[in-house]
Amino acid sequence: MGESMQAGRLAARAIKANGVDTVFTLSGGHVMPIYEGCRVEGVRVLDVRHEQAAAHAAEAWGRVNRACGVALVTSGPGVTGVVTAVANCRVAQTPLVVIGGARPLVQAEQGALQELDQLSIFKPITKWAAVCTHPEQVPDLISTAFRQALAQPRGPVYLELPMDILFADAEEESVPAPSRSAARAFGEPEEMTKAADLLTNAERPAVIAGSGIWWDGAWKQLATFAENGRLPVYLNGSGRGALPPDHELFFQHSRSPAVAGADVVCVIGAPLDFRLKFGRFNPEAKLVHVHSDPTELGHNRAPDAGIVGDCAAVLGILADGVESRRPNDEWLERLRVIERAWWDDNRASIESGSAPLNHYRLGAELDKVLDPATVVIGDGGDVVAACSRVLRVHRPGHWLDPGPFGCLGVGPPYALGVKAARPDAQVVVIAGDGAFGLNGFEFETLTRFRLPVVFVIGNDAAWGEIRIPQRGIYGEDAEVATLLAPTRYDRLTEAFGGHGAHVERPDELAPALERALASGEPAIVNVMLDPLGMAGHAYRGM
């Protein structure tokens, strides 16, 4: 017989056994035994100001580790507070374990404090949801939760641990080792052969590589695949940085013309969603689609070669399969001409000396100042869209955004998760002023835990991505629910601590950024932007 201990400590031990050294939470009595278990077992607990932030932070911790983070929340409103963050993970296919407290089982259906049918809330937005009814089950169910979250397709899971279960004693020896396989799917041979033949014989190929490249650790295989076949590559989502910006086969600003003119389009680790026009590009082109989720193959468009597999495993094979391809330098040069034309067309905005700043000038200044090893988090609409077009990402895993759910407010909690996982990393959040307001109080969390992160807030005093098309469709008098105040967000540092700076002119920005980065403190650089700086750009919500 092993030592008897509270199930809350067994939960902490099981979390640690699954490779997690940090959990994110907002204080709640229903899960108190897990807090004590974490203290005893050496699992760090970072507490935030809203449960949504706990789940976003756990998601980011998992993303930069290519693992699965843990959010620990109390019953009732604590559990419902993570719903949006869980939905974001579900849509992005990001693993996350949410452990939710609940009223004691013996008080079920009696009107206990914060009682709610929580399982029914989570079943539609998670891969797996379960409730523990015996303390001895706690370690095994936690291991099951990790296995479910990390299995392909990855996603969020929910495990409910009622209060009386956590306070009850169980045997120490019931803690299992993690039970999941590291096996990779290599793709069906016939489909692999078809894909290799299509790409080898392509005159005008285009490769689009998404978040699966990061999650499957496939950036080296992607580079070899591209180089062997002389294939132009476009990156999106967490795939950004998989090829360095100076790689001769990395392209960014010619994707639409490329897929419109391609005879073979190869999409790897990305769905055919709105970002790829639902697959409605060039009906004459052949489509090669590689994804770990079989339900994505044929979604919106049937592939000519559909491969269910791990991106690294599949690309390792396809890299050999395309070695005999005859390169088409004319096609690559055609794309490079389009790339150069984009820079020429936008140079006035990128180099603009106007005050308030143009969004593109903000991105250009960030590109000049930031170290290539900086982890950049995008949290906003127009400001992130503009900056992402000119700010280079130099390494895999160094760009985070919410993904296709478009969930604003991820910046501060993502920064917390990244710093918890990589304490020595330089982390910069590019945030819209609207987006920052959703979880901006987590700046206090960062100062409380002394985690230096620099926030660059693009402040146009509006929900600019909506306001500009709103004005264009309905007229200048129709600015309903899209105006904000030109707030001095940098002055939050007077209340919470940290370093603050206010920027109104382009020549002030680089020195302000350099001081913020050198301060060693959480910092806010409040940058006033031209409210109409993105006028004329397409609204991405339609």
Side-chain angles (χ1 to χ4, degrees):
M1 297 284 289
E3 177 189 354
S4 181
M5 62 181 67
Q6 276 191 343
R9 182 174 174 188
L10 288 179
R13 185 168 289 186
I15 289 168
K16 187 174 183 179
N18 279 276
V20 174
D21 61 8
T22 304
V23 299
F24 302 88
T25 191
L26 191 150
S27 181
H30 289 81
V31 292
M32 190 188 308
I34 303 181
Y35 295 153
E36 175 61 12
C38 288
R39 184 187 69 82
V40 174
E41 296 296 330
V43 177
R44 179 171 51 169
V45 178
L46 296 182
D47 57 303
V48 299
R49 305 303 297 267
H50 191 284
E51 288 87 0
Q52 180 180 339
H56 283 318
E59 175 198 357
W61 184 96
R63 284 175 66 171
V64 295
N65 283 319
R66 291 197 296 121
C68 182
V70 175
L72 173 61
V73 292
T74 196
S75 181
V79 165
T80 60
V82 304
V83 166
T84 296
V86 170
N88 189 68
C89 290
R90 180 66 168 178
V91 175
Q93 295 189 338
T94 303
L96 173 69
V97 169
V98 175
I99 296 176
R103 48 85 189 103
L105 283 175
V106 296
Q107 295 178 4
E109 304 298 332
Q110 297 180 49
L113 174 67
Q114 298 179 333
E115 184 174 20
L116 185 67
D117 180 6
Q118 299 170 170
L119 214 61
S120 293
I121 294 172
F122 283 93
K123 281 185 176 180
I125 58 172
T126 59
K127 289 183 61 184
W128 175 87
V131 60
C132 180
T133 57
H134 298 283
E136 292 80 10
Q137 293 179 318
V138 167
D140 186 59
L141 283 174
I142 287 176
S143 286
T144 299
F146 277 92
R147 186 170 65 253
Q148 291 279 355
L150 289 164
Q152 298 280 18
R154 303 173 183 91
V157 300
Y158 172 74
L159 176 60
E160 186 162 296
L161 300 180
M163 190 176 185
D164 50 352
I165 297 298
L166 289 174
F167 273 97
D169 285 347
E171 295 296 327
E172 173 191 16
E173 62 189 14
S174 61
V175 178
S179 54
R180 56 183 180 269
S181 173
R184 296 173 180 262
F186 281 78
E188 203 277 326
E190 183 178 347
E191 294 298 311
M192 295 284 286
T193 300
K194 282 197 289 185
D197 287 345
L198 286 169
L199 289 162
T200 297
N201 294 307
E203 289 290 325
R204 301 178 307 281
V207 176
I208 301 168
S211 296
I213 298 296
W214 167 247
W215 279 107
D216 293 344
W219 47 91
K220 291 181 180 178
Q221 291 86 345
L222 177 65
T224 303
F225 169 67
E227 290 160 6
N228 284 0
R230 301 293 295 166
L231 305 168
V233 176
Y234 300 84
L235 302 170
N236 74 7
S238 296
R240 294 195 67 193
L243 293 182
D246 58 353
H247 194 288
E248 63 169 337
L249 295 170
F250 169 67
F251 293 81
Q252 182 177 3
H253 299 297
S254 57
R255 190 176 76 180
S256 291
V259 296
D263 57 352
V264 178
V265 176
C266 179
V267 179
I268 308 167
L272 296 180
D273 60 14
F274 68 96
R275 294 169 294 181
L276 295 179
K277 301 180 180 178
F278 308 103
R280 296 168 194 153
F281 46 76
N282 189 0
E284 302 302 318
K286 300 294 185 181
L287 173 63
V288 175
H289 197 180
V290 181
H291 206 284
S292 62
D293 182 358
T295 66
E296 288 293 345
L297 302 184
H299 184 211
N300 291 325
R301 180 168 177 167
D304 296 278
I307 300 170
V308 179
D310 175 274
C311 291
V314 170
L315 285 174
I317 296 171
L318 288 181
D320 293 335
V322 298
E323 276 190 302
S324 61
R325 179 178 178 271
R326 294 176 58 188
N328 183 347
D329 292 335
E330 182 181 342
W331 171 242
L332 293 176
E333 181 56 28
R334 178 174 155 189
L335 298 178
R336 291 189 183 107
V337 168
I338 297 171
E339 296 271 321
R340 291 192 291 268
W342 185 91
W343 287 99
D344 291 340
D345 291 345
N346 290 278
R347 196 168 308 282
S349 297
I350 293 167
E351 299 177 355
S352 172
S354 65
L357 278 76
N358 184 279
H359 298 57
Y360 282 100
R361 178 65 187 270
L362 170 59
E365 292 300 309
L366 285 166
D367 187 68
K368 293 175 186 176
V369 172
L370 296 186
D371 185 274
T374 302
V375 178
V376 178
I377 297 166
D379 182 21
D382 278 343
V383 64
V384 174
C387 288
S388 68
R389 292 172 185 144
V390 294
L391 173 62
R392 293 170 295 173
V393 181
H394 295 263
R395 301 177 184 179
H398 284 60
W399 171 270
L400 282 78
D401 61 36
F405 200 50
C407 183
L408 296 180
V410 300
Y414 273 12
L416 175 64
V418 173
K419 286 298 287 186
R422 299 183 184 176
D424 296 329
Q426 180 172 283
V427 179
V428 171
V429 180
I430 304 170
D433 52 336
F436 180 77
L438 293 171
N439 279 308
F441 233 68
E442 299 307 331
F443 189 80
E444 185 275 335
T445 307
L446 292 164
T447 59
R448 179 161 33 98
F449 287 106
R450 297 183 175 88
L451 298 173
V453 172
V454 175
F455 290 84
V456 179
I457 299 178
N459 190 341
D460 62 358
W463 297 96
E465 186 177 12
I466 312 302
R467 173 178 174 255
I468 289 175
Q470 183 184 55
R471 286 166 55 98
I473 296 169
Y474 300 109
E476 295 182 7
D477 296 331
E479 294 175 328
V480 178
T482 50
L483 294 176
L484 299 171
T487 303
R488 289 288 301 273
Y489 294 100
D490 53 299
R491 290 180 176 167
L492 284 173
T493 60
E494 297 174 12
F496 295 144
H499 175 89
H502 181 68
V503 171
E504 295 185 357
R505 302 183 57 82
D507 59 354
E508 300 169 348
L509 181 54
L513 288 171
E514 290 166 352
R515 289 191 295 269
L517 292 165
S519 71
E521 300 179 284
I524 296 174
V525 181
N526 188 56
V527 183
M528 301 309 296
L529 296 180
D530 180 357
L532 297 177
M534 294 295 284
H537 294 268
Y539 172 50
R540 293 177 299 283
M542 293 182 176

mmCIF file of all heavy atoms in Angstrom, residues 93 95 97 149 189 208 211 233 247 249 292 332 335 342 356 433 498 535:
data_model
loop_
_atom_site.group_PDB
_atom_site.id
_atom_site.type_symbol
_atom_site.label_atom_id
_atom_site.label_comp_id
_atom_site.label_asym_id
_atom_site.label_seq_id
_atom_site.Cartn_x
_atom_site.Cartn_y
_atom_site.Cartn_z
ATOM 1 N N GLN A 93 -7.577 23.975 -33.333
ATOM 2 C CA GLN A 93 -7.029 22.642 -33.085
ATOM 3 C C GLN A 93 -5.763 22.726 -32.237
ATOM 4 O O GLN A 93 -4.707 22.155 -32.552
ATOM 5 C CB GLN A 93 -6.779 21.893 -34.393
ATOM 6 C CG GLN A 93 -8.063 21.580 -35.160
ATOM 7 C CD GLN A 93 -7.856 20.655 -36.345
ATOM 8 O OE1 GLN A 93 -6.757 20.535 -36.874
ATOM 9 N NE2 GLN A 93 -8.926 19.978 -36.762
ATOM 10 N N PRO A 95 -4.165 22.011 -28.401
ATOM 11 C CA PRO A 95 -4.444 21.218 -27.202
ATOM 12 C C PRO A 95 -4.519 22.084 -25.943
ATOM 13 O O PRO A 95 -3.773 23.050 -25.792
ATOM 14 C CB PRO A 95 -3.262 20.250 -27.134
ATOM 15 C CG PRO A 95 -2.151 20.949 -27.854
ATOM 16 C CD PRO A 95 -2.821 21.747 -28.947
ATOM 17 N N VAL A 97 -5.865 21.393 -21.616
ATOM 18 C CA VAL A 97 -6.585 20.671 -20.574
ATOM 19 C C VAL A 97 -7.171 21.692 -19.608
ATOM 20 O O VAL A 97 -6.431 22.479 -19.002
ATOM 21 C CB VAL A 97 -5.678 19.690 -19.815
ATOM 22 C CG1 VAL A 97 -6.385 19.151 -18.561
ATOM 23 C CG2 VAL A 97 -5.266 18.531 -20.711
ATOM 24 N N ALA A 149 -6.270 15.337 -25.580
ATOM 25 C CA ALA A 149 -5.957 16.675 -26.093
ATOM 26 C C ALA A 149 -4.868 16.647 -27.148
ATOM 27 O O ALA A 149 -4.903 17.414 -28.119
ATOM 28 C CB ALA A 149 -5.544 17.589 -24.938
ATOM 29 N N PRO A 189 0.255 5.245 -49.008
ATOM 30 C CA PRO A 189 1.273 5.246 -50.082
ATOM 31 C C PRO A 189 0.752 5.684 -51.437
ATOM 32 O O PRO A 189 1.441 6.418 -52.171
ATOM 33 C CB PRO A 189 1.752 3.786 -50.104
ATOM 34 C CG PRO A 189 1.514 3.290 -48.709
ATOM 35 C CD PRO A 189 0.263 3.977 -48.253
ATOM 36 N N ILE A 208 1.393 26.159 -49.635
ATOM 37 C CA ILE A 208 0.904 26.950 -48.498
ATOM 38 C C ILE A 208 1.017 26.072 -47.258
ATOM 39 O O ILE A 208 0.410 24.994 -47.194
ATOM 40 C CB ILE A 208 -0.547 27.407 -48.710
ATOM 41 C CG1 ILE A 208 -0.645 28.261 -49.975
ATOM 42 C CG2 ILE A 208 -1.051 28.178 -47.496
ATOM 43 C CD1 ILE A 208 -2.056 28.528 -50.425
ATOM 44 N N SER A 211 -0.222 25.941 -39.589
ATOM 45 C CA SER A 211 0.170 25.689 -38.204
ATOM 46 C C SER A 211 0.649 24.265 -37.969
ATOM 47 O O SER A 211 1.421 24.012 -37.029
ATOM 48 C CB SER A 211 -1.009 25.995 -37.271
ATOM 49 O OG SER A 211 -1.352 27.364 -37.326
ATOM 50 N N VAL A 233 6.986 28.876 -51.353
ATOM 51 C CA VAL A 233 6.270 28.549 -50.127
ATOM 52 C C VAL A 233 5.688 29.812 -49.502
ATOM 53 O O VAL A 233 6.377 30.837 -49.366
ATOM 54 C CB VAL A 233 7.199 27.851 -49.107
ATOM 55 C CG1 VAL A 233 6.468 27.603 -47.785
ATOM 56 C CG2 VAL A 233 7.718 26.532 -49.670
ATOM 57 N N HIS A 247 14.997 33.385 -47.061
ATOM 58 C CA HIS A 247 15.076 32.155 -47.861
ATOM 59 C C HIS A 247 14.558 32.444 -49.270
ATOM 60 O O HIS A 247 13.507 33.064 -49.442
ATOM 61 C CB HIS A 247 14.250 31.048 -47.204
ATOM 62 C CG HIS A 247 14.529 29.679 -47.745
ATOM 63 N ND1 HIS A 247 14.119 29.265 -49.003
ATOM 64 C CD2 HIS A 247 15.187 28.617 -47.203
ATOM 65 C CE1 HIS A 247 14.511 28.028 -49.205
ATOM 66 N NE2 HIS A 247 15.156 27.602 -48.132
ATOM 67 N N LEU A 249 13.045 30.775 -51.376
ATOM 68 C CA LEU A 249 11.762 30.185 -51.759
ATOM 69 C C LEU A 249 10.630 30.588 -50.821
ATOM 70 O O LEU A 249 9.524 30.047 -50.924
ATOM 71 C CB LEU A 249 11.897 28.653 -51.815
ATOM 72 C CG LEU A 249 12.850 28.155 -52.896
ATOM 73 C CD1 LEU A 249 13.121 26.667 -52.737
ATOM 74 C CD2 LEU A 249 12.288 28.447 -54.293
ATOM 75 N N SER A 292 -3.585 16.442 -40.668
ATOM 76 C CA SER A 292 -3.699 15.353 -39.699
ATOM 77 C C SER A 292 -5.149 14.958 -39.430
ATOM 78 O O SER A 292 -5.406 13.860 -38.929
ATOM 79 C CB SER A 292 -3.042 15.774 -38.379
ATOM 80 O OG SER A 292 -3.717 16.900 -37.831
ATOM 81 N N LEU A 332 9.097 31.406 -60.720
ATOM 82 C CA LEU A 332 9.597 32.002 -59.484
ATOM 83 C C LEU A 332 9.877 33.494 -59.680
ATOM 84 O O LEU A 332 9.554 34.313 -58.796
ATOM 85 C CB LEU A 332 10.868 31.280 -59.035
ATOM 86 C CG LEU A 332 10.701 29.818 -58.596
ATOM 87 C CD1 LEU A 332 12.054 29.199 -58.271
ATOM 88 C CD2 LEU A 332 9.777 29.717 -57.398
ATOM 89 N N LEU A 335 6.711 35.541 -59.606
ATOM 90 C CA LEU A 335 6.236 35.782 -58.243
ATOM 91 C C LEU A 335 7.091 36.837 -57.546
ATOM 92 O O LEU A 335 6.569 37.666 -56.789
ATOM 93 C CB LEU A 335 6.238 34.475 -57.452
ATOM 94 C CG LEU A 335 5.314 33.370 -57.979
ATOM 95 C CD1 LEU A 335 5.446 32.122 -57.130
ATOM 96 C CD2 LEU A 335 3.861 33.839 -58.030
ATOM 97 N N TRP A 342 4.538 44.789 -54.605
ATOM 98 C CA TRP A 342 3.795 45.065 -53.366
ATOM 99 C C TRP A 342 4.554 46.077 -52.515
ATOM 100 O O TRP A 342 3.965 47.037 -51.996
ATOM 101 C CB TRP A 342 3.563 43.780 -52.573
ATOM 102 C CG TRP A 342 2.694 44.016 -51.361
ATOM 103 C CD1 TRP A 342 1.338 43.911 -51.290
ATOM 104 C CD2 TRP A 342 3.135 44.459 -50.069
ATOM 105 N NE1 TRP A 342 0.898 44.253 -50.022
ATOM 106 C CE2 TRP A 342 1.978 44.592 -49.254
ATOM 107 C CE3 TRP A 342 4.373 44.764 -49.511
ATOM 108 C CZ2 TRP A 342 2.037 44.997 -47.920
ATOM 109 C CZ3 TRP A 342 4.440 45.183 -48.186
ATOM 110 C CH2 TRP A 342 3.281 45.291 -47.396
ATOM 111 N N PRO A 356 -0.580 61.382 -36.552
ATOM 112 C CA PRO A 356 -0.226 60.086 -35.959
ATOM 113 C C PRO A 356 0.350 59.117 -36.993
ATOM 114 O O PRO A 356 0.221 59.317 -38.189
ATOM 115 C CB PRO A 356 -1.557 59.569 -35.406
ATOM 116 C CG PRO A 356 -2.459 60.762 -35.330
ATOM 117 C CD PRO A 356 -2.025 61.680 -36.422
ATOM 118 N N ASP A 433 -5.850 48.931 -29.567
ATOM 119 C CA ASP A 433 -6.340 49.497 -28.312
ATOM 120 C C ASP A 433 -7.638 48.831 -27.875
ATOM 121 O O ASP A 433 -7.877 48.633 -26.678
ATOM 122 C CB ASP A 433 -6.500 51.017 -28.400
ATOM 123 C CG ASP A 433 -7.315 51.485 -29.597
ATOM 124 O OD1 ASP A 433 -7.395 50.754 -30.601
ATOM 125 O OD2 ASP A 433 -7.863 52.593 -29.541
ATOM 126 N N GLY A 498 5.968 49.092 -13.703
ATOM 127 C CA GLY A 498 6.451 48.853 -15.056
ATOM 128 C C GLY A 498 6.863 50.142 -15.736
ATOM 129 O O GLY A 498 6.891 51.224 -15.135
ATOM 130 N N ALA A 535 -7.741 52.895 -44.424
ATOM 131 C CA ALA A 535 -8.839 53.097 -45.371
ATOM 132 C C ALA A 535 -8.428 52.595 -46.746
ATOM 133 O O ALA A 535 -7.304 52.799 -47.202
ATOM 134 C CB ALA A 535 -9.210 54.573 -45.436
#
